[in-house]
Amino acid sequence: GFGPKEVTIRVHGMERRFFLSLPKGRTDAPLWLAFHGSQNMAMDFLRYSRLHIFAIENGIGLLALQGLPNKYDQGWTQFNVGPHSQPTAEENEQGVHDLEVMREILEQ
C-alpha cells in the first residue's frame, strides 16, 4: 500500500520496528527522524500528521521509530530516554537505550 515501509531490525538481541520512506531516484535526500508521543504508535502518528505525505511530496526521507510499551504506565508506548535524556532503572531493564537504537539504524 501507499506510505512508509515497515522495517524490523534486531539491536542487541531486541527486535525493534520503524517506518521508512525514501524518495525514489534520490541518494542525496535529507532524512527526517520522527518520534511519536507517549501513548501513541508510529503509524498512527504518521496517519494523523500526514508527515509521510509531506515528505514524499517534497523529496524528503522519513524514518519513524516505534516506541516500546512501558509496563509501568498501562502499557503505553514511549521512548526509553527517561528524565533528562537518561533511562531510568526500569527502562534499562528493556535492554537498550533508544538513542543507541537510532544510531544502529542510521549506520546500516
Side-chain angles (χ1 to χ4, degrees):
F2 179 74
K5 173 182 160 186
E6 183 174 357
V7 180
T8 302
I9 64 165
R10 291 193 80 72
V11 178
H12 300 289
M14 180 178 286
E15 190 172 278
R16 297 301 303 266
R17 291 182 314 127
F18 62 94
F19 296 88
L20 182 65
S21 176
L22 297 173
K24 294 188 188 308
R26 288 195 58 189
T27 58
D28 63 343
L31 178 66
W32 284 0
L33 306 178
F35 299 90
H36 63 78
S38 294
Q39 309 174 34
N40 207 332
M41 303 291 281
M43 186 50 81
D44 292 339
F45 167 69
L46 294 176
R47 276 191 197 108
Y48 72 73
S49 70
R50 300 176 49 87
L51 193 55
H52 63 294
I53 295 171
F54 179 85
I56 290 167
E57 290 173 349
N58 290 280
I60 299 166
L62 179 66
L63 189 157
L65 181 63
Q66 175 58 56
L68 295 173
N70 179 336
K71 64 183 177 181
Y72 301 100
D73 289 322
Q74 304 172 16
W76 292 337
T77 57
Q78 69 179 48
F79 295 99
N80 64 345
V81 294
H84 309 293
S85 297
Q86 298 300 316
T88 65
E90 294 85 10
E91 291 164 337
N92 271 333
E93 290 176 14
Q94 294 175 323
V96 64
H97 196 285
D98 281 323
L99 295 178
E100 192 175 333
V101 172
M102 287 305 301
R103 186 177 311 122
E104 187 77 21
I105 291 169
L106 293 172
E107 288 176 356
Q108 291 187 14

